[in-house]
Amino acid sequence: MAGLSKRLRYLFGTTQGLVLMATAWDALLVAVLSTLSGPLRDLGIAAALPFRLVEAEAVGRKIMLYHALAMPFVAAITYFILELVPTSPWHVRTVRATITAGYMVSSLSGLAFAYLYRNWVLHGLFVAGLTLVFYAGVVLAHGLWPARHPNTDPAYAHWGRISLERVAFFTVAVLTLGSAALGAGAAAYFGNGFEAFLAEDAIRAPHHTVAQLAIIGHLHIMLALIAVAIMLVVGRYVDFKGVLHAVAMPIAIVGSSIMALACWSVTVWEGAHTAIYVGASLVLPAALLLVIYAWMEVARGAPPGRRLVAVVGDPLRFGMLFQQIYVNFVVTFPGMYVAFNLDEYFRVIPAEYERRFLSGHWHVLATLCATIVLFLVADYLGQRGWVRRALGWGVLLGADLAFAFAVVYMFGPPGVDMTWTWWFIDVGLGTFLIVLAIFLGWRLADLFRARGEWYQHLSQAGGTPQASAALAPGAGAPAQAGSAPAPVAGALAQAGSGPAPADGTVRAGGEADER
C-alpha cells in the first residue's frame, strides 16, 4: 500500500505525474475511439464494444468527443504554466485540484453519455466538469495578475516593473475564459431553441442565429488561443529573452486580443472575422522570433561546423520549435489562400469541397498543437535513449507526413479522386500513434519499478505538490521567482542541452528573474 500511495502522490502531486496522466488519458481515448474511423473501422473492432451509435446523434457525439479530448489537453498546458510561471502555493494547489477533477469528470461522463448510455445525469456531470475547469481558469488568471511578480531583469520584455511575458500569459488566460463563456452562453439554450450543429455544416446557410455565430466564434478562437498558450509555454521553457523577446511579447499580446475580439464580434457583425487575420499576422511573427532565438542559442553553444547538427540533433527540442514554423505551410498559408479566394472559387464549387477544407483545417491545427505538447512532455520528463529518438522522429516525420497529404486532399478539385492521399495520412498517423504507445508503455513500465524515474521526480518534489517557485536543491528556501523549477533542470541536463549550473538549477532569468 505504501508503494501505491507514493505512485498516486507522483501522479496527482507532481507536475511530471500530472502531465503524464493527462497525456495518457487523451492517448487512451484516441486509441479506443479510433476504432470507429479510418482503417480500424473495417476491422470490426468497434462492433465488439458496447457503443451506442445512432446516426441522428452523430453531431452531438462529435461535440462531446471534442470537449472530452480538449479538457485533458488544456489541463496539461495549465500544469506547465503553473510550473514555469510564478504564482503562489495556494493558486497551484487550487488550480491543480479543480482542473484535474474537472477534466476527469467531464471527459468520462461526456463520453459515457455520448457513446454508452443516454442518461441525462451523465450530461449534468459533463457540464459540472466543464464548470470546474472554468473555475480553475479563473483562479489561474487571478494568480497570473501581472503586478504580483514585478520584473527586475532587463533581459526580458517589460514595461517599467511589469513583465510583458506575464501580461501575455494573463491576457491569454482571460481571453480564453471569455471565449469559453461565449460558447457556454449559446450552449445554455440547448433544448430551448438551440440545437447542436457542426460549424462546417452551416457554412452556406443563408442566415445564422446569434447562437450559431457564437459557437462558430467560440471554436475558432479557443483553438487559436490554445496555440498561443503553447507558444508562450515553449518560450518560457527555453528561456526566451533579449531583443527578440522584447519584440515578440507585445505583438503576441496585441495579436491575441485582436483575434479574440474579432471572434466575439461575429455575433453582432459577421464581417468582423476579417480582423482575425490582422491578429494572426502579429502572433505568427512572435512564434517565428521565438524559434529564431532558440535555434541561435543552440547554434551559439556548438562548435563551428556542428551547429546545424546541434539544432536538429535532439528531435524533441527541434520538433517543438520546428512545428511552429511548419504550421504556416499546412494551416496558415492554406487558410489565407482559401480566405482570399472564398467568394470567387470556394463558394462556387460544391459545398462538400469547402466543408472538406474547413473540417480538415482545424483538425490539422489541433493535432499539430498536440505534437508540440507531446514533445514538451517527453522532454520535461527527461526521456532518454532510443525511446526519446523514436518518439521525436516518429512523431515529427509521421505527423508532418499526414499533415502534408491532408492539405493535398483538402485542396482536391471537384471530380478528382483524392482517396490516394488517405494511405499517406494513415501511415503518418499510424506511425505517430505507434511511437506514442511505445513512449507511454515505457513510462508505465517505469511506474512498476521500485526506484524508477517516477521516484526521482517525487523525491525532487518533496513528495508533495510543489509551488511554481520551486525549492532550490539543498537550499530549503524558495528559488528566485521565475527560475526554472528543479525538475526542469534535471530534464534539461538529461536531454543533453548542456551542463546545468553547479547548484543543479537552471536559471531562467539571470541574477533576479522575477518574470
Side-chain angles (χ1 to χ4, degrees):
M1 289 302 294
L4 177 60
S5 176
K6 288 180 180 179
R7 286 166 174 82
L8 289 176
R9 289 207 307 273
Y10 165 70
L11 291 174
F12 289 92
T14 68
T15 303
Q16 290 94 335
L18 288 166
V19 298
L20 176 60
M21 190 162 54
T23 303
W25 188 284
D26 262 350
L28 180 61
L29 295 183
V30 170
V32 173
L33 295 175
S34 63
T35 60
L36 301 177
S37 61
L40 294 182
R41 178 177 53 193
D42 299 332
L43 299 179
I45 299 175
L49 300 174
F51 289 146
R52 171 191 168 101
L53 303 174
V54 179
E55 183 60 29
E57 300 171 346
V59 170
R61 284 199 305 272
K62 291 176 182 178
I63 293 172
M64 299 195 85
L65 171 60
Y66 296 155
H67 285 81
L69 290 172
M71 293 306 103
F73 189 66
V74 170
I77 297 170
T78 302
Y79 299 142
F80 276 116
I81 294 175
L82 290 170
E83 186 72 14
L84 298 170
V85 184
T87 53
S88 74
W90 178 83
H91 287 99
V92 173
R93 289 193 303 268
T94 303
V95 174
R96 277 183 175 180
T98 51
I99 200 167
T100 302
Y103 88 69
M104 289 183 172
V105 170
S106 63
S107 187
L108 285 176
S109 58
L111 289 177
F113 178 81
Y115 289 89
L116 299 176
Y117 312 106
R118 194 64 71 250
N119 187 318
W120 284 89
V121 172
L122 293 172
H123 190 277
L125 289 173
F126 169 70
V127 175
L130 296 180
T131 304
L132 285 175
V133 174
F134 187 86
Y135 173 73
V138 173
V139 177
L140 175 65
H142 179 267
L144 292 174
W145 178 249
R148 289 185 183 279
H149 290 270
N151 175 78
T152 59
D153 192 330
Y156 301 94
H158 62 280
W159 183 32
R161 290 177 58 83
I162 299 295
S163 164
L164 293 185
E165 184 179 63
R166 194 176 184 87
V167 172
F169 275 108
F170 174 77
T171 301
V172 170
V174 171
L175 294 175
T176 302
L177 290 171
S179 302
L182 182 69
Y189 286 89
F190 178 71
N192 187 26
F194 176 74
E195 295 183 3
F197 76 103
L198 298 178
E200 52 265 31
D201 292 334
I203 51 177
R204 301 203 178 173
H207 174 71
H208 296 106
T209 65
V210 172
Q212 288 177 324
L213 292 173
I215 293 298
I216 293 172
H218 164 79
L219 67 89
H220 278 82
I221 191 56
M222 289 300 289
L223 186 53
L225 290 175
I226 286 173
V228 176
I230 293 172
M231 178 195 73
L232 293 174
V233 166
V234 172
R236 188 76 172 95
Y237 190 76
V238 302
D239 192 21
F240 188 22
K241 60 184 176 182
V243 176
L244 298 183
H245 187 260
V247 176
M249 289 303 103
I251 61 177
I253 295 168
V254 175
S256 301
S257 301
I258 292 175
M259 286 195 300
L261 292 174
C263 286
W264 298 352
S265 299
V266 296
T267 56
V268 294
W269 177 47
E270 293 191 46
H273 74 274
T274 55
I276 296 174
Y277 304 111
V278 178
S281 67
L282 295 174
V283 172
L284 294 172
L288 177 61
L289 293 175
L290 161 63
V291 174
I292 292 173
Y293 167 84
W295 283 348
M296 286 179 61
E297 287 298 302
V298 173
R300 186 177 292 117
R306 299 284 298 174
R307 289 173 179 168
L308 180 60
V309 174
V311 169
V312 302
D314 183 349
L316 297 184
R317 289 299 185 88
F318 174 73
M320 72 175 72
L321 296 167
F322 176 79
Q323 295 297 72
Q324 300 191 51
I325 300 297
Y326 188 67
V327 67
N328 292 292
F329 296 95
V330 294
V331 176
T332 309
F333 297 152
M336 293 175 63
Y337 177 81
V338 171
F340 292 148
N341 296 276
L342 187 62
D343 294 328
E344 293 78 7
Y345 179 71
F346 288 94
R347 286 291 160 85
V348 177
I349 60 177
E352 171 194 349
Y353 295 92
E354 185 182 359
R355 187 188 187 282
R356 176 191 294 178
F357 175 83
L358 295 176
S359 179
H361 181 69
W362 79 263
H363 277 82
V364 169
L365 178 57
T367 310
L368 190 144
C369 287
T371 65
I372 298 176
V373 174
L374 179 58
F375 291 143
L376 189 63
V377 168
D379 189 60
Y380 180 69
L381 291 175
Q383 189 65 53
R384 292 168 289 181
W386 70 269
V387 176
R388 182 185 182 92
R389 294 188 295 274
L391 178 69
W393 291 120
V395 170
L396 188 64
L397 298 177
D400 287 2
L401 174 70
F403 298 154
F405 280 92
V407 173
V408 173
Y409 173 74
M410 288 187 286
F411 279 100
V416 176
D417 182 13
M418 300 298 295
T419 56
W420 62 271
T421 60
W422 295 359
W423 187 88
F424 295 95
I425 296 172
D426 289 341
V427 168
L429 293 180
T431 302
F432 179 176
L433 294 177
I434 289 171
V435 294
L436 174 59
I438 292 172
F439 165 66
L440 292 175
W442 194 98
R443 304 312 305 191
L444 179 62
D446 181 73
L447 273 175
F448 283 94
R449 300 188 185 101
R451 292 293 185 270
E453 290 188 10
W454 70 269
Y455 186 81
Q456 300 172 27
H457 296 158
L458 183 64
S459 300
Q460 290 173 344
T464 58
Q466 62 193 64
S468 301
L471 296 181
Q480 297 174 20
S483 300
V488 177
L492 301 187
Q494 292 172 0
S497 56
D503 65 354
T505 63
V506 175
R507 300 301 181 196
E511 295 298 321
D513 174 19
E514 294 185 350
R515 291 187 282 171

